Amino acid sequence: MASNSESDYENPWYYKGTAFTSDDIGDFFGYVYLITNKSTGKKYIGRKYFVQKRKPRGGKRRVTSESDWKKYYGSCPELKSDIKEYGKDSFSREILSLHTTKGRTNYEETKQLFVNDVLSQTLTDGTPAFYNSNILGRYYRKDYFNNKDD
């Protein structure tokens, strides 16, 4: 990891307490992350890849380049809305784990969603603790939140 805590982008991702930069990517394909709203305590777990493959206009081959990971704040509409309302600086961005393949990145994201009980955890006021509203488009918060089986 880069030894300096300075980064070359706004509100950097942190990994093990240090700002993560392009120089730290190395052989990693992607990462699993945690975004926390510092004002409310609400969290979001997701995954992001460091590379993207695009086919340039009129081009025949796909080109690999670095993704928009530095600017990324998740795909969740509720999270995006809160970022607009509170501002980017009200959110911390932490890399939980780094992975060398797409499969490992996807597996670890799904594992963390279950391990952290994102569909049924609550904040002290009883509202959902996570922005995540589903896992794999198959398990939904509405089916598990405040719905105890025991």
Side-chain angles (χ1 to χ4, degrees), residues 45 108-118 121 135:
I45 292 176
E108 187 61 27
E109 177 202 20
T110 304
K111 178 179 159 187
Q112 289 303 319
L113 293 171
F114 281 110
V115 166
N116 286 282
D117 206 10
V118 301
Q121 279 291 333
I135 298 175

Side-chain angles (χ1 to χ4, degrees), residues 31-97:
Y31 60 98
V32 175
Y33 63 82
L34 175 70
I35 294 178
T36 304
N37 181 328
K38 295 187 269 188
S39 302
T40 66
K42 198 166 187 176
K43 300 176 179 188
Y44 182 77
I45 292 176
R47 63 156 158 72
K48 184 67 177 163
Y49 307 137
F50 290 118
V51 294
Q52 62 186 6
K53 290 186 193 263
R54 289 237 165 95
K55 198 167 165 183
R57 281 184 199 264
K60 299 207 181 338
R61 298 195 174 188
R62 289 160 52 103
V63 176
T64 302
S65 61
E66 191 172 316
S67 73
D68 63 348
W69 68 272
K70 291 178 183 177
K71 294 187 230 167
Y72 194 70
Y73 280 84
S75 57
C76 170
E78 185 188 355
L79 172 61
K80 286 179 173 180
S81 172
D82 275 5
I83 288 167
K84 273 193 179 129
E85 181 181 336
Y86 293 94
K88 290 179 179 175
D89 288 341
S90 295
F91 292 81
S92 65
R93 303 193 300 166
E94 178 187 357
I95 295 175
L96 299 175
S97 55

Side-chain angles (χ1 to χ4, degrees), residues 10-24:
E10 182 185 26
N11 194 15
W13 289 100
Y14 278 84
Y15 180 63
K16 296 184 176 177
T18 303
F20 196 86
T21 68
S22 297
D23 292 339
D24 299 320

